[in-house]
Amino acid sequence: MATKSELIARMEELLQQPEVEQAAEAVDALKETYEGLVAAEKAEAEARAAEEAHQAEAAVEEPATEQVGPPPAAEPKVPHQPIESAPLADEDDKKFKQLLDAFNTKVNDIRRKRQKEENDNLEAKHRLMAELRELIANEENIGNAFHRFNEIGELWRNIGAIPQQSYRELQHEYSQLREEFFYHIRIYKELRDHDLRKNTALKQALIADMEAVQRVDSVREAEQLVKEYQDKWHQVGPVVREEREAISEAFWNATRQVYDRINEHYKARRAEHEANLASKQALVEKALELVKQVEQAEPAGTNEWKALTDQVLELQNAWKSIGFATKKDNERVWREFRDACNAFFEKKNAHYTSLKDRFKAIREKKEALIAAAEELKGSTAWRQTADKLKALQQQWKEAGHAGQRDEHKLWTRFRAACDAFFQARSASFEQQDAEQAQHVQAKEALIKEIDAFTLTGDRHADMEALKAFSTRWLNGGRVSPKQYDRLSAQYRAALDKQYGQLRLNDGERRKLSFQSRLQDLASAPDGKERIERECRLVKRKIEEVEAEIRQSEENMGKFSFKSAAGEAMKKEMEKSIHRMRQEIERLQAQYKQLRTELRASATAVETSTAADEQGK
């Protein structure tokens, strides 16, 4: 392996090359090799220090004490660090970093200067093309046109390189403008034909030259030649019309083949770098997986820790055998790998000192969870207690493992307490479902009985019979919400059909309809919420009618009722206000009944809750 001095000498040689940009890849390789030497020296020094410390400790121990392996803290860490940010240990490191900084500065200066020159050249060529378009469109003097055309061509040839991404499109457009000039401006046949034949021969020769580039071994030389031949191609004027398409197609086909080869070369290099990056990333993932494995379930014994340590060391050896990755990702992926390895060894060092205390804390926390679960297992407040036990179960999962000695025993006690509650709840729900099924059957039978009821003709007796049906419905017990809406609709339809046959007046009909609706609301599974909504609707309706009365009274104050027609209008408005006041009285009576029923419902809920609390 090369020494630091040899690498510094090679770096000085590369820095003195005239084509300094071409040495970038070689400089990257030298940098990585030099960083490897620095890392190796640092690792060797740390290893010697650790060995000396270990020997010193062994010298003072009693002879009967057996040391099994080095302590966890002696595990090697990866000291590799970029030379730009690493501490400079000696003059060689300082010299190498100075050379690297000088190289980077030189390359950046060259690239910035070239980029500015290319952008200026691109702008200059755009100006020439604009002038050439103006010349083609407006110049009528053939002599002047040819003179300026030749000047533009000379200026174009003397302009330097332009940005690569604009090169092909710009040159193609310029070539088209030149051909357009020759086809539309040059009218002297003899001169034109001579030029066309000469240009045809030149372009055929360029086609042969471009085809020969395909056989050049050096990709960099091929890049230079293809640009040179394209420049010459665009400088040559138009060819004979009959061969123009064939010649152009032949040249650009040959050019595309060269570019395809160049692109394949760089694609292969990128693929190699990406493959190396993927391999390194895979090692990072494996190292992270080992760290994750240690964090989620720390190994219980020394043998397991040793097996995992061997895996990490194997990953480090594999890393050294992989080549360079993509430049923008190489440092990042190395940092991720190094951090993962360091995290593993730090975790290992802390394991033996924290394991005992951690298991103790988890055990105490789970003992508290068991006590809480055992206190709740006899409760009959099913929903609240189930939520509390589920929260305890989540806390159990988050508490971690209490160690092989205690975990199973603790879990058995905790699960037994939870199972006792959930088994009792299941039995209670089964009984409740059975009762609700019986209530459904009873209500369906009552609906059929109402449908089959025949009025006797005695209006009072029939009214009492229908009220008895309503009382039986109200006292018929609760059903599940999904059954309630269907049964309620059938019940109201059957009862409305019977009331419809009694020929009630509007007031009686509305009163009975409201009583039926109130009973329907009260018997619903969510009766309290439904009655509250109905209260809000009636309250809003009262406010709307009161607003109408105020508006009507204000309108009466605006009119003069001295004529006979005015007097008639006044009486009609007074009748309307009287009807609205009667409507308010009816709505207020409904609102009062709803509030009474709401208080009764709230009392029933409080009684049920108190019974549940006593059942605990």
Short mmCIF file of all heavy atoms in Angstrom, two decimals, residues 99 152 177 208 230 348 351 369 409 422 428 488 497 503 553-554:
data_model
loop_
_atom_site.label_atom_id
_atom_site.label_comp_id
_atom_site.label_asym_id
_atom_site.label_seq_id
_atom_site.Cartn_x
_atom_site.Cartn_y
_atom_site.Cartn_z
N LEU A 99 -2.72 20.72 -0.56
CA LEU A 99 -2.73 20.34 -1.98
C LEU A 99 -4.17 20.09 -2.46
O LEU A 99 -4.54 20.49 -3.57
CB LEU A 99 -1.88 19.10 -2.19
CG LEU A 99 -0.37 19.28 -1.98
CD1 LEU A 99 0.34 17.94 -2.04
CD2 LEU A 99 0.21 20.24 -3.02
N ILE A 152 -20.65 37.50 -40.93
CA ILE A 152 -21.32 36.77 -39.84
C ILE A 152 -20.70 35.39 -39.66
O ILE A 152 -20.45 34.92 -38.53
CB ILE A 152 -22.83 36.68 -40.11
CG1 ILE A 152 -23.47 38.06 -40.00
CG2 ILE A 152 -23.50 35.69 -39.15
CD1 ILE A 152 -24.93 38.10 -40.40
N LEU A 177 -30.27 28.18 -40.89
CA LEU A 177 -30.28 29.57 -41.37
C LEU A 177 -29.29 29.76 -42.53
O LEU A 177 -29.58 30.45 -43.52
CB LEU A 177 -29.93 30.52 -40.23
CG LEU A 177 -31.03 30.75 -39.18
CD1 LEU A 177 -30.48 31.58 -38.02
CD2 LEU A 177 -32.23 31.44 -39.81
N ALA A 208 -17.42 10.25 -43.42
CA ALA A 208 -16.42 9.18 -43.27
C ALA A 208 -15.61 9.38 -41.98
O ALA A 208 -15.33 8.41 -41.25
CB ALA A 208 -15.49 9.16 -44.48
N GLN A 230 -18.64 18.13 -35.76
CA GLN A 230 -19.92 18.86 -35.84
C GLN A 230 -19.68 20.34 -36.13
O GLN A 230 -20.44 20.96 -36.90
CB GLN A 230 -20.68 18.71 -34.52
CG GLN A 230 -21.30 17.33 -34.35
CD GLN A 230 -22.12 17.25 -33.08
OE1 GLN A 230 -23.28 17.62 -33.07
NE2 GLN A 230 -21.51 16.74 -32.03
N LYS A 348 -23.69 -1.68 23.29
CA LYS A 348 -23.11 -2.85 23.94
C LYS A 348 -22.41 -2.44 25.24
O LYS A 348 -22.53 -3.13 26.27
CB LYS A 348 -22.12 -3.54 23.00
CG LYS A 348 -21.43 -4.73 23.61
CD LYS A 348 -20.46 -5.37 22.63
CE LYS A 348 -19.72 -6.54 23.29
NZ LYS A 348 -18.74 -7.15 22.38
N HIS A 351 -24.90 -1.77 27.96
CA HIS A 351 -25.83 -2.87 28.26
C HIS A 351 -25.64 -3.42 29.67
O HIS A 351 -26.60 -3.52 30.45
CB HIS A 351 -25.66 -3.97 27.23
CG HIS A 351 -26.36 -5.25 27.61
ND1 HIS A 351 -27.72 -5.39 27.54
CD2 HIS A 351 -25.87 -6.43 28.08
CE1 HIS A 351 -28.05 -6.60 27.94
NE2 HIS A 351 -26.95 -7.26 28.26
N LEU A 369 -49.37 -2.17 37.30
CA LEU A 369 -50.42 -2.42 36.31
C LEU A 369 -51.26 -3.63 36.71
O LEU A 369 -52.48 -3.64 36.51
CB LEU A 369 -49.79 -2.64 34.92
CG LEU A 369 -49.10 -1.42 34.30
CD1 LEU A 369 -48.43 -1.81 32.99
CD2 LEU A 369 -50.09 -0.28 34.07
N LYS A 409 -44.30 -14.76 34.52
CA LYS A 409 -45.14 -14.79 35.72
C LYS A 409 -45.98 -13.52 35.84
O LYS A 409 -47.18 -13.57 36.17
CB LYS A 409 -44.25 -14.95 36.96
CG LYS A 409 -43.57 -16.30 37.05
CD LYS A 409 -42.79 -16.46 38.34
CE LYS A 409 -41.60 -15.52 38.38
NZ LYS A 409 -40.77 -15.72 39.58
N PHE A 422 -63.38 -9.34 31.10
CA PHE A 422 -63.97 -9.45 29.76
C PHE A 422 -64.89 -10.65 29.64
O PHE A 422 -65.87 -10.62 28.89
CB PHE A 422 -62.85 -9.50 28.71
CG PHE A 422 -62.19 -8.17 28.49
CD1 PHE A 422 -60.87 -7.95 28.87
CD2 PHE A 422 -62.90 -7.11 27.93
CE1 PHE A 422 -60.27 -6.73 28.68
CE2 PHE A 422 -62.29 -5.88 27.74
CZ PHE A 422 -60.98 -5.69 28.11
N SER A 428 -72.67 -10.73 30.34
CA SER A 428 -73.69 -9.71 30.55
C SER A 428 -74.28 -9.25 29.22
O SER A 428 -75.50 -9.08 29.08
CB SER A 428 -73.09 -8.52 31.29
OG SER A 428 -74.03 -7.47 31.41
N SER A 488 -90.32 1.58 15.14
CA SER A 488 -91.02 2.82 15.44
C SER A 488 -91.84 3.30 14.25
O SER A 488 -92.98 3.76 14.40
CB SER A 488 -90.00 3.89 15.85
OG SER A 488 -90.65 5.11 16.13
N LYS A 497 -103.12 5.00 11.36
CA LYS A 497 -104.24 4.46 10.57
C LYS A 497 -105.49 4.35 11.44
O LYS A 497 -106.61 4.70 11.01
CB LYS A 497 -103.86 3.08 10.01
CG LYS A 497 -104.95 2.47 9.13
CD LYS A 497 -104.56 1.09 8.66
CE LYS A 497 -104.61 0.10 9.82
NZ LYS A 497 -104.42 -1.31 9.38
N ARG A 503 -112.01 10.12 12.90
CA ARG A 503 -112.49 11.42 12.44
C ARG A 503 -112.33 12.50 13.53
O ARG A 503 -113.27 13.16 13.95
CB ARG A 503 -113.96 11.34 12.01
CG ARG A 503 -114.18 10.40 10.84
CD ARG A 503 -115.64 10.35 10.45
NE ARG A 503 -115.84 9.44 9.34
CZ ARG A 503 -117.05 9.15 8.80
NH1 ARG A 503 -118.13 9.72 9.31
NH2 ARG A 503 -117.15 8.32 7.79
N GLU A 553 -97.74 43.44 14.00
CA GLU A 553 -98.16 44.60 14.80
C GLU A 553 -97.49 45.88 14.30
O GLU A 553 -98.11 46.95 14.27
CB GLU A 553 -97.82 44.36 16.27
CG GLU A 553 -98.71 43.27 16.90
CD GLU A 553 -98.28 42.95 18.33
OE1 GLU A 553 -97.14 43.32 18.70
OE2 GLU A 553 -99.07 42.33 19.06
N GLU A 554 -96.22 45.80 13.90
CA GLU A 554 -95.55 46.97 13.34
C GLU A 554 -96.21 47.39 12.03
O GLU A 554 -96.39 48.59 11.75
CB GLU A 554 -94.08 46.67 13.10
CG GLU A 554 -93.27 46.53 14.38
CD GLU A 554 -91.82 46.15 14.10
OE1 GLU A 554 -91.47 46.09 12.90
OE2 GLU A 554 -91.07 45.90 15.06
#
